[in-house]
Amino acid sequence: MDTKDVAILRVIDGLWETYEWVPVGEIEHRVSSKIDVTKKLRNLEKEKLVLWKPHSFGDEPSVKINERGLDSLAVWDFVKHGVLDDIGHKIGEGKESVIVLGLKDGEKRAIKFHRYYSAEYRKIKKSLAYTSIKWWRTLKGRLLRPVDFPRAKAQVEYRALKKLHGKVSVPEPYGINRHAIVMEFIGDEVPAPLMSKVKNESWMRKEVLDNYEMSLKEGIVHGDLSPFNVMVWNKLYLIDWAQAVPVDFEGADALMKRDKEKFNA
Ligand SMILES: Nc1ncnc2c1ncn2[C@@H]1O[C@H](COP(=O)(O)OP(=O)(O)OP(=O)(O)O)[C@@H](O)[C@H]1O
Ligand SMILES: [Mg+2]
């Protein structure tokens, strides 16, 4: 990917609220006339960063940026802003996200790319819309559309980590871009084990619940806490805050109870 590719991808991404498929003419209009946009788009398609709209008669040629394209733009901007020097291999993959190793000044970082997942969308679109409007205000006045979903989750998780780091044991957040966040890597050669994979001891449950009380004091309910979202290292780390809600959300009490019950065994 070179700077011309990035210029083209930026234009397509910048129009994501206006067009589902961006007409090539709109892109040509917005980038330097020296760039052969159609040729560049053919290459970007080969690299699986954009999709061409299947042609039907009378249609303007149009394109769409795909997941890989958005990931690449986010990484490009993280490097540009000094959050990362380089990226490494995939270290985790869930239905809702992909975690990739990042490097900065020789130290490991974790990059979490949020994904759209329809079953989860149906479940949390109300609480996520509420939280992202309250914490970011960016989505005010309109409903969360599926296309906004990974960005809203990244915003909510980043905001929760920012607010809690230093008070609650969570990975330190370093940056957010579009649907991706960069945070402290927990582990050494490989990620630290999850609490669900190690022998569950009562001091661990207490440590999690003590941390959770601090998070509630900061006004944040995790919403998806379980031993699958606790990493065991020199201390315990509470991770995966994408479903967090403020304590004044109408369903927050039930979520908080459910979170705590997972550690009351
Ligand atoms: N800061 C980190 N450092 C190291 N590894 C991490 C970090 N954050 C997440 N991971 C690894 O990635 C996995 C998934 O992260 P997370 O729970 O945040 O996402 P998720 O979308 O819930 O994925 P899953 O569906 O697998 O639970 C974790 O179980 C952990 O192994
Ligand atoms: Mg998880």
Side-chain angles (χ1 to χ4, degrees), residues 91-97 99 110 112 157 171 183-187 191-192 194 224 228-229 231 239-240:
I91 50 180
E93 182 157 21
K95 278 186 229 91
E96 299 121 48
S97 73
I99 314 273
K112 182 169 180 179
E157 180 158 35
M183 64 187 139
E184 180 185 355
F185 176 85
I186 312 299
L194 299 174
D224 189 28
F228 291 94
N229 283 329
M231 299 187 86
I239 63 163
D240 202 359

